[in-house]
Amino acid sequence: MLVTWTTPAQRRLFDSMHVADQRHGLDVVASLRAEGVADRDVLLAGLLHDAGKGDTGVWSRVAFSLGQAYGPWVWRVSGAWPGMAATLVRLHDHAELSAALATDAGCAERTVALIRHQDDPLDPEFGELLRLADDAN
């Protein structure tokens, strides 16, 4: 499936992602397609939008999610754990990191912009569809 609409560099980026982020990206793409999206730029954004998270581990992802739900005090407390502070920063900044990786993989500027603004879409149609698909998966 991916071979037909991704380049080798984009597939290498996808392959470098944590398996949970790969699964999530595929689920986001499936949700977008279920909404009738066939635009390659949008589908690539859905596939690669979390590439910048890297292999951050389960506990940092839990701490990050709890911080999103209950406030940044969770990040301050959990950031005291060795190595956790840098990982939480990476998770916080993953949209920008993912956009940079997508640029390096040769994605179109539109794809990069959708990734960069995944949490606060500038594109009222496709950016919002991406945000909703991301939240749903």
Side-chain angles (χ1 to χ4, degrees), residues 1-132:
M1 166 182 124
L2 294 179
V3 174
T4 62
W5 56 276
T6 60
T7 67
Q10 292 159 353
R11 286 191 300 280
R12 280 191 299 277
L13 177 56
F14 177 77
D15 289 342
S16 75
M17 292 167 57
H18 188 278
V19 68
D21 294 323
Q22 288 178 344
R23 177 75 261 157
H24 172 66
L26 291 169
D27 291 342
V28 169
V29 168
S31 291
L32 290 168
R33 286 189 169 181
E35 291 294 321
V37 176
D39 186 303
R40 181 179 179 268
D41 291 340
V42 179
L43 295 176
L44 272 173
L47 186 70
L48 302 175
H49 72 280
D50 283 342
K53 287 184 175 180
D55 191 11
T56 51
V58 69
W59 294 115
S60 58
R61 289 175 186 242
V62 169
F64 187 77
S65 295
L66 289 172
Q68 287 179 306
Y70 297 108
W73 70 269
V74 175
W75 299 331
R76 285 190 298 276
V77 171
S78 58
W81 192 268
M84 184 71 80
T87 303
L88 292 172
V89 169
R90 181 179 189 88
L91 290 169
H92 181 270
D93 296 343
H94 84 275
E96 188 60 41
L97 296 168
S98 298
L101 290 169
T103 297
D104 292 346
C107 292
E109 184 53 42
R110 182 165 172 243
T111 300
V112 172
L114 286 165
I115 292 171
R116 180 172 285 124
H117 303 287
Q118 61 186 274
D119 294 325
D120 191 18
L122 299 179
D123 180 323
E125 181 181 1
F126 291 115
E128 185 62 13
L129 282 172
L130 175 61
R131 187 189 67 75
L132 292 172

